[in-house]
Amino acid sequence: MVNFVLIAVCIVAGMIFKATKSIHPDAHKGINTWILYLALPAVSFKYLPKVKWTTEMLFPILATFLISVFASFL
């Protein structure tokens, strides 16, 4: 429930900032870059030690590897 409240607060804050024109129109590019290159890897490294490694995880790992290998030949 707290997550939904946070989402609502962020949406309202975005609407307020857009109405007052206090944020640059291309600010979303910098935010997206920060999320993709800093925030998501940090979150993945935070939860990586808690992952239970099983044989069921082999298929997604191998599929990703094989797709990248076959794509390099195209």
Side-chain angles (χ1 to χ4, degrees):
M1 186 65 181
V2 174
N3 292 335
F4 291 119
V5 172
L6 180 62
I7 290 170
V9 168
C10 289
I11 289 173
V12 170
M15 292 169 59
I16 291 170
F17 283 132
K18 184 177 180 183
T20 60
K21 299 189 189 296
S22 60
I23 293 182
H24 192 270
D26 289 334
H28 65 281
K29 294 178 183 177
I31 294 169
N32 288 343
T33 303
W34 182 84
I35 289 171
L36 287 175
Y37 293 116
L38 189 73
L40 287 177
V43 169
S44 67
F45 283 134
K46 177 182 178 184
Y47 291 108
L48 191 61
K50 297 177 185 176
V51 172
K52 303 285 187 212
W53 295 98
T54 64
T55 56
E56 294 175 352
M57 299 180 80
L58 287 178
F59 178 72
I61 294 169
L62 289 175
T64 304
F65 177 73
L66 290 175
I67 289 172
S68 64
V69 168
F70 290 134
S72 66
F73 289 122
L74 296 177

